Amino acid sequence: MVHGLPILFAQLADSIPWMAVVGIVLVLFAVVVAIIAMVYGNIWFRAYMSNASVSMYSLIGMSFRQVNASLIVQAKVMAVQAGIGLERETGITTQRLEAHYLAGGNVPNVIRAIIAAHRADIDLDFDKAAAIDLAGRDVLEAVQTSVYPKVIDCPDPKRSHKSTLSAIAKNGVELKVRARVTVRTNIERLIGGATEETIIARVGEGIITSIGSADTHLDVMESPDLVSRAVLERGLDAQTAFEIVSIDIADIDVGENIGARLQADQAQADTRVAQAKAEERRAMATAREQEMKAEVARNRAQVVLAEAEVPLAMSAAFREGNMQGSASIDGPGGKR
């Protein structure tokens, strides 16, 4: 028995280092678990109590991927509590929320938009909402505009710095019009569809065209709804992100009589043209008169030259004896 004690002590001494290592490992493990519990325990417990199905492993991975774990869990909790379906039905998984976050998307805004669309019975899934959000559109505002239509001023003073549209009827009278366009978002055409600026431009063009087709400005002032109906029937919301609900003429003011002013300007222009043509004809007549005077002077000079040549011719004839011979032959009596 005495001889066996040293062997027992030797075995205990050999086993002590291994027990120390195991103890240290257990202590470190306990410290790591405690740190994880302190950092992620509250978030995980909130997700667990809300049936959001976010694992502790996913929360730890979010930290390494530099993802805001609290924001992702909050989004999943909102989706679950709103009752918009399970992950396999809606596609709102933790991984897809992380991917949208890393792509620069607004995760809470997307979830709120899906919840609002679900409440309003609008077909909007996570893929479409995320695509709209990444395209730079406010998806929540788009859903809200689909439920509660938006009113746009035409023209918009903030964009064009003009308060009215100027249109001229066939009789030449100017009308200054201000319209209000009620639109709601078309979710199906939100990606790639034209924006409010296009709606304002098209409506303004339609109003100007409709007023320009009216015989007189009085017809437009008597029935402004004719203009709004004519514009609405043009289908101005094609290829835009909105659907036009109504176009209302808010205000009409009579401006200048552009036709009369243009006619007066045209008459003045015609007068100036006639005066210019008359001045041109007068100048041509004066020039012609001067030409005729020059021609008369030239003819007179030629006559003078011709008269000057007569004495020279006579003297030459005398010198040559032609004048004497003629006198002897054709003298008095006509006899030689």
Side-chain angles (χ1 to χ4, degrees):
M1 183 68 180
V2 176
H3 294 286
L5 289 176
I7 297 174
L8 179 61
F9 288 133
Q11 292 177 351
L12 290 174
D14 293 337
S15 62
I16 286 174
W18 291 103
M19 293 177 63
V21 171
V22 172
I24 293 172
V25 170
L26 292 177
V27 170
L28 291 176
F29 180 77
V31 170
V32 171
V33 171
I35 294 174
I36 292 175
M38 290 176 60
V39 176
Y40 303 105
N42 187 24
I43 300 175
W44 177 84
F45 186 73
R46 183 174 57 175
Y48 176 79
M49 295 302 296
S50 301
N51 294 324
S53 66
V54 179
S55 64
M56 185 66 72
Y57 175 76
S58 297
L59 294 176
I60 297 173
M62 290 180 196
S63 297
F64 289 102
R65 290 187 290 269
Q66 296 183 352
V67 176
N68 191 337
S70 179
L71 188 144
I72 299 299
V73 171
Q74 180 184 359
K76 291 207 68 174
V77 169
M78 284 194 301
V80 172
Q81 294 299 317
I84 59 176
L86 301 176
E87 289 185 355
R88 61 175 177 272
E89 297 175 359
T90 61
I92 305 176
T93 63
T94 305
Q95 291 77 13
R96 301 186 73 183
L97 290 175
E98 287 186 54
H100 188 66
Y101 177 86
L102 292 173
N106 191 336
V107 175
N109 208 43
V110 169
I111 298 300
R112 292 190 187 98
I114 296 175
I115 295 172
H118 177 72
R119 292 286 189 269
D121 197 18
I122 298 175
D123 184 16
L124 179 66
D125 56 12
F126 179 79
D127 290 333
K128 187 181 296 182
I132 294 172
D133 183 63
L134 292 177
R137 299 288 182 88
D138 191 337
V139 62
L140 179 59
E141 182 182 358
V143 174
Q144 292 172 347
T145 306
S146 298
V147 178
Y148 184 75
K150 181 179 181 180
V151 178
I152 304 174
D153 289 327
C154 181
D156 190 351
K158 297 179 181 178
R159 292 186 174 94
S160 63
H161 304 290
K162 295 181 180 179
S163 58
T164 58
L165 290 170
S166 179
I168 303 174
K170 289 183 178 180
N171 63 345
V173 178
E174 177 190 22
L175 292 178
K176 297 180 179 180
V177 182
R178 183 169 58 88
R180 308 201 73 182
V181 185
T182 304
V183 298
R184 61 167 168 252
T185 305
N186 190 330
I187 300 295
E188 299 297 328
R189 295 200 302 258
L190 191 59
I191 299 177
T195 57
E196 296 179 10
E197 287 79 2
T198 303
I199 293 290
I200 295 173
R202 290 182 180 179
V203 171
E205 179 184 359
I207 291 174
I208 293 173
T209 303
S210 299
I211 294 177
S213 302
D215 294 330
T216 64
H217 68 287
L218 297 176
D219 296 337
V220 179
M221 298 191 69
E222 289 175 359
S223 302
D225 59 322
L226 296 177
V227 176
S228 59
R229 286 203 301 268
V231 175
L232 191 59
E233 291 173 358
R234 293 175 180 268
L236 303 178
D237 53 3
Q239 303 302 320
T240 66
F242 300 94
E243 178 184 352
I244 297 178
V245 179
S246 66
I247 300 175
D248 303 303
I249 305 299
D251 188 20
I252 298 180
D253 293 327
V254 179
E256 300 180 15
N257 194 334
I258 304 296
R261 190 182 68 183
L262 291 176
Q263 290 177 357
D265 294 342
Q266 185 63 42
Q268 292 179 0
D270 293 340
T271 301
R272 289 193 293 269
V273 171
Q275 291 175 350
K277 290 183 178 180
E279 184 65 23
E280 181 183 0
R281 288 193 297 269
R282 188 188 66 79
M284 291 179 64
T286 303
R288 182 62 178 168
E289 181 182 1
Q290 296 298 324
E291 289 177 358
M292 294 303 296
K293 288 181 179 180
E295 184 69 19
V296 170
R298 189 177 65 84
N299 292 334
R300 286 179 180 176
Q302 291 180 354
V303 170
V304 171
L305 291 175
E307 290 177 349
E309 291 177 356
V310 170
L312 295 176
M314 291 179 65
S315 62
F318 279 118
R319 285 195 303 270
E320 294 176 359
N322 293 332
M323 292 293 294
Q324 183 179 4
S326 299
S328 62
I329 294 173
D330 298 330
K335 297 180 180 179
R336 294 182 181 273

